[in-house]
């Protein structure tokens, strides 16, 4: 077997095993290597891989359950992400319900609100994730086709069946994106969005008298929340889409870089709108703190900057710095480790 044939075989094996559970990958890789080697000795490597077919479809043979929710190439990521988002929505409803129950002690009303929020959040999550993956699949964002294939389509040629030359190279290990990192990001973003939708008043200072909850002093401007929330959700959605694309692609590449740049720009602009263009924070927060707790503040306390505009500037600069760092890391790893050509 030539080095070129062996590389092509490894590309195919990688594209199959990356779609399987970790405990299946090693054994499946060995089985596939033996199978492909035997077939290649009789028919040649390209013909052997053509006979096996698209690795996304072939991988389904090793799965314990069918995965055709969206399509064979995207099904496992779709289901995996949907579970994460639904879990985050459920967690946000539970957290808000528990806090409200502990503070308000109105069990019947809270249960009704929690059920309503859970149903609404679950339907929204399923719809959002499904639409997102439909777009990814229609645009073929995951698949990096060869130039010849793209040129054939541009010339109006009929879409060819899968061929081994469409296999992308096995990525450098340093270019791989950890799925666990993206899972944490997605859970945090979905949980934050759920809390911002269902219980934004939870973010604030809690006032008690003789152990009994009196009220919350919200840190956000809830009187203008109908204007603030859509802007905030768009910013969160941009970060969510960026993490989904990283999850789907699995490694740093041109697609991840482009989406990262777009997402970063959207988040930077909408952060400015939230903190500089809208009354994001409750303008009477510090005043209410002083009245409720007789709080006067100390020199250097960030809350003493509340209402001066400087606190918003500091928060905005921190957000922009985080965006620049993430973008810089993505640019570096894409240029340094991603596939060339």
């Amino acid at each position: 077997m030539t080095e070129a044939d062996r590389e092509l075989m490894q590309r195919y094996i990688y594209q199959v095993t990356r779609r399987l559970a970790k405990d299946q990958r090693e054994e499946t890789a060995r089985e596939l290597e033996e199978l492909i080697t035997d077939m290649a000795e009789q028919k040649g490597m390209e013909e052997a891989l053509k006979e096996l077919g698209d690795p996304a479809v072939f991988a389904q043979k090793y799965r314990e359950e069918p995965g055709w929710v969206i399509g064979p190439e995207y099904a496992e990521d779709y289901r995996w992400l949907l579970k994460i988002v639904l879990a985050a929505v459920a967690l946000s409803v539970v957290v808000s319900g528990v806090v409200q129950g502990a503070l308000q002690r109105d069990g019947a009303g809270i249960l009704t609100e929690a059920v309503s929020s859970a149903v609404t959040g679950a339907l929204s999550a399923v719809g959002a994730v499904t639409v997102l993956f439909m777009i990814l699949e229609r645009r073929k964002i995951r698949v990096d086709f060869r130039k010849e294939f793209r040129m054939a389509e541009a010339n109006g040629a009929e879409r060819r069946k899968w061929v081994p030359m469409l296999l992308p190279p096995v990525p450098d290990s340093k270019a791989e994106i950890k799925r666990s990192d993206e899972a944490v990001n997605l859970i945090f973003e979905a949980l934050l969005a759920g809390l911002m939708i269902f219980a934004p008043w939870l973010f604030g200072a809690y006032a008690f008298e003789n152990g009994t909850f009196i009220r919350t002093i919200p840190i956000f401007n809830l009187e203008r929340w109908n204007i603030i929330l859509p802007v905030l959700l768009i910013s969160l959605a941009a970060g969510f889409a960026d993490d989904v694309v990283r999850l789907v692609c699995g490694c740093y590449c041109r697609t991840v870089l482009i989406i990262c740049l777009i997402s970063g720009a959207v988040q930077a602009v909408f952060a400015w709108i939230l903190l500089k263009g809208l009354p994001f924070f409750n303008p009477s927060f510090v005043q209410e703190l002083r009245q409720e707790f007789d709080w006067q503040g100390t020199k250097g306390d960030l809350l003493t900057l509340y209402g001066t505009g400087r606190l918003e500037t500091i928060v905005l600069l921190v957000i922009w710095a985080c965006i620049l760092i993430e973008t810089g890391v993505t640019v570096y790893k894409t240029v340094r480790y991603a596939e060339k050509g």
Side-chain angles (χ1 to χ4, degrees), residues 11 15 19 54-56 73-74 136-154 158-169 249 253-255 339-341:
R11 290 187 187 185
Q15 291 300 320
R19 293 172 166 85
D54 189 331
E73 188 175 0
Y74 294 82
L136 292 175
E137 187 171 19
R138 299 300 181 272
R139 295 289 181 180
K140 295 298 176 187
I141 287 178
R142 178 183 216 154
V143 184
D144 185 18
F145 294 116
R146 294 291 176 185
K147 293 180 180 179
E148 298 86 352
F149 190 70
R150 292 197 297 266
M151 288 176 61
E153 286 193 318
E158 184 179 354
R159 185 184 181 89
R160 293 183 288 177
K161 294 181 180 179
W162 180 87
V163 293
M165 288 306 295
L166 296 179
L167 286 170
C249 291
C253 60
R254 186 181 303 174
T255 299
E339 177 193 0
K340 305 296 188 297

Side-chain angles (χ1 to χ4, degrees), residues 12 16 28 32 35 52-63:
Y12 188 91
V16 172
T28 302
L32 269 178
L35 173 64
L52 292 178
D54 189 331
V57 178
F58 188 82
Q60 297 299 321
K61 299 177 182 179
Y62 288 90
R63 297 184 64 88

Side-chain angles (χ1 to χ4, degrees), residues 191-222:
L191 178 59
L192 181 59
L195 291 175
M196 289 299 182
I197 294 170
F198 302 128
W201 62 269
L202 291 178
F203 298 88
Y206 297 84
F208 294 85
E209 184 175 324
N210 297 324
T212 302
F213 173 74
I214 302 174
R215 69 187 182 105
T216 303
I217 304 174
I219 195 171
F220 302 130
N221 190 348
L222 300 185

Side-chain angles (χ1 to χ4, degrees), residues 17-280:
T17 56
R18 69 185 290 268
R19 293 172 166 85
L20 305 178
K22 286 186 177 181
D23 56 358
Q24 288 183 274
R25 293 175 185 174
E26 188 175 344
E27 182 179 353
T28 302
R30 287 197 300 268
E31 292 177 2
L32 269 178
E33 187 168 350
E34 293 178 7
L35 173 64
I36 294 172
T37 300
D38 292 341
M39 293 176 66
E41 288 177 356
Q42 301 174 12
K43 308 177 180 182
M45 183 59 68
E46 264 202 68
E47 290 301 319
L49 296 183
K50 281 182 183 179
E51 185 172 328
L52 292 178
D54 189 331
V57 178
F58 188 82
Q60 297 299 321
K61 299 177 182 179
Y62 288 90
R63 297 184 64 88
E64 297 179 354
E65 55 186 63
W68 296 85
V69 177
I70 292 292
E73 188 175 0
Y74 294 82
E76 67 274 12
D77 288 331
Y78 169 81
R79 291 199 317 247
W80 188 81
L81 178 61
L82 192 58
K83 291 175 184 176
I84 289 177
V85 175
L86 288 176
V89 169
L91 183 59
S92 66
V93 172
V94 170
V95 169
S96 62
V98 169
V99 174
Q100 291 183 64
L103 298 178
Q104 298 177 2
R105 297 180 174 85
D106 180 13
I110 293 171
L111 179 60
T112 302
E113 184 178 346
V115 171
S116 174
S117 299
V119 172
T120 303
L123 291 175
S124 300
V126 172
V129 174
T130 301
V131 169
L132 179 59
F133 269 82
M134 286 174 64
I135 294 172
L136 292 175
E137 187 171 19
R138 299 300 181 272
R139 295 289 181 180
K140 295 298 176 187
I141 287 178
R142 178 183 216 154
V143 184
D144 185 18
F145 294 116
R146 294 291 176 185
K147 293 180 180 179
E148 298 86 352
F149 190 70
R150 292 197 297 266
M151 288 176 61
E153 286 193 318
N155 294 330
E158 184 179 354
R159 185 184 181 89
R160 293 183 288 177
K161 294 181 180 179
W162 180 87
V163 293
M165 288 306 295
L166 296 179
L167 286 170
V170 177
D172 189 310
S173 59
K174 294 180 180 178
E176 292 185 15
I177 297 174
K178 290 184 179 179
R179 208 173 196 188
S180 57
D181 293 344
E182 301 312 314
V184 171
N185 291 340
L186 291 169
I187 291 173
F188 173 77
E189 289 159 354
L191 178 59
L192 181 59
L195 291 175
M196 289 299 182
I197 294 170
F198 302 128
W201 62 269
L202 291 178
F203 298 88
Y206 297 84
F208 294 85
E209 184 175 324
N210 297 324
T212 302
F213 173 74
I214 302 174
R215 69 187 182 105
T216 303
I217 304 174
I219 195 171
F220 302 130
N221 190 348
L222 300 185
E223 292 182 0
R224 305 292 299 276
W225 200 242
N226 61 325
I227 299 174
I228 294 171
L229 182 59
V231 179
L232 178 61
L233 291 180
I234 291 173
S235 180
L236 289 174
F240 190 86
D242 180 34
D243 289 320
V244 170
V245 170
R246 291 169 185 263
L247 169 69
V248 172
C249 291
C251 62
Y252 289 95
C253 60
R254 186 181 303 174
T255 299
V256 169
L257 176 58
I258 292 173
I259 298 300
C260 176
L261 293 174
I262 295 173
S263 171
V266 170
Q267 289 178 297
V269 170
F270 277 81
W272 182 89
I273 293 174
L274 279 173
L275 295 167
K276 290 296 186 179
L278 294 174
F280 182 62

